[in-house]
Amino acid sequence: MWQDHLMVLAVLAVLAVPVYLLDHFLLRSQGDIFLIDLSGMLISVYGLWVAVHIPVSSLALYFFNTDRVYALHASMTPVSVGLLLLGYVVVSQVDSARSKAKYEARMAMRETLFDTITLEKWWYVPDAAKPEAIGAVVAFEHSGRFAARVHGRTSDPYGGGVYHGEMRPQKQVTAGERVEYVFPLKYYSDGPAPDVAFSFMLFRDSTGSAPVNVFKKYVAAPERADDGERFYETLPPPVAPPSVPPNSEKHR
């Protein structure tokens, strides 16, 4: 009885070789004919099934104590498949729950970072008709290496960019600091650019106090506050330029 059982298990082990060959030659990517590489899937499923079937069939033989070993293996085959599928579902549910908990914890942490970068005010230099530069005052709740860009686009959602400005060089800032900067603009086309957006980045580096790099965009009508990678906030209206033009860079 047990000898026949071990023979069946030995046959199942030997069958792993042709299963592996089928897996290797039939499921691998074959250039333009079969682009998806599924090699390893068949032998993995077979190996998992055998790993489940061995204890299931052995326990069944121990408790039922029958001489019909081959019939017992045949009846335990769907049971093993069912247990394998059940295990897959349980593992998937556990993994999904862990991923959801990790995502919720990450998003909760990110909520505390929303005000890490705040655009206090901005203005056109000299005016909005054809600005030569754009000034801005930005405040920080964390330290780090700060980079910033400003873009001007046409009102057409499919239109291209009109101008672009970038902070150069990037700056090391401290928690509680306010930075005033005037972005010189480089034009790509003529025409008005009412759609203005700021992109701010605070990198941790070796001096950063935030737990992660912080990316924030100020746009006219953000669709969300946080997409998991970047924060979005509504762009405030421009203010009147200072009566005395500031230097290209001023820190407070």
Side-chain angles (χ1 to χ4, degrees), residues 2 5 8-9 12 50 52-64 69 72-74 76-77 79-80 83:
W2 283 98
H5 174 64
V8 173
L9 296 183
L12 293 178
V50 171
V52 173
H53 184 72
I54 290 175
V56 168
S57 59
S58 299
L59 288 173
L61 182 61
Y62 176 79
F63 285 109
F64 292 110
V69 175
L72 181 139
H73 275 277
M76 288 298 105
T77 295
V79 175
S80 302
L83 290 174

Side-chain angles (χ1 to χ4, degrees), residues 77-88:
T77 295
V79 175
S80 302
V81 172
L83 290 174
L84 181 62
L85 293 176
L86 178 62
Y88 174 79

Side-chain angles (χ1 to χ4, degrees), residues 71-150:
L72 181 139
H73 275 277
S75 61
M76 288 298 105
T77 295
V79 175
S80 302
V81 172
L83 290 174
L84 181 62
L85 293 176
L86 178 62
Y88 174 79
V89 171
V90 171
V91 170
S92 297
Q93 291 294 329
V94 171
D95 184 66
S96 177
R98 288 179 177 175
S99 298
K100 182 179 179 181
K102 185 182 296 185
Y103 174 79
E104 291 177 348
R106 181 172 179 270
M107 296 305 291
M109 179 274 294
R110 286 182 59 82
E111 285 183 6
T112 65
L113 300 176
F114 186 81
D115 294 324
T116 294
I117 307 171
T118 301
L119 175 64
E120 294 188 343
K121 59 183 178 179
W122 67 282
W123 60 90
Y124 293 104
V125 179
D127 53 50
K130 186 74 172 181
E132 299 173 359
I134 288 181
V137 175
V138 186
F140 306 90
E141 287 189 355
H142 286 278
S143 61
R145 176 168 56 87
F146 177 57
R149 294 192 297 264
V150 63

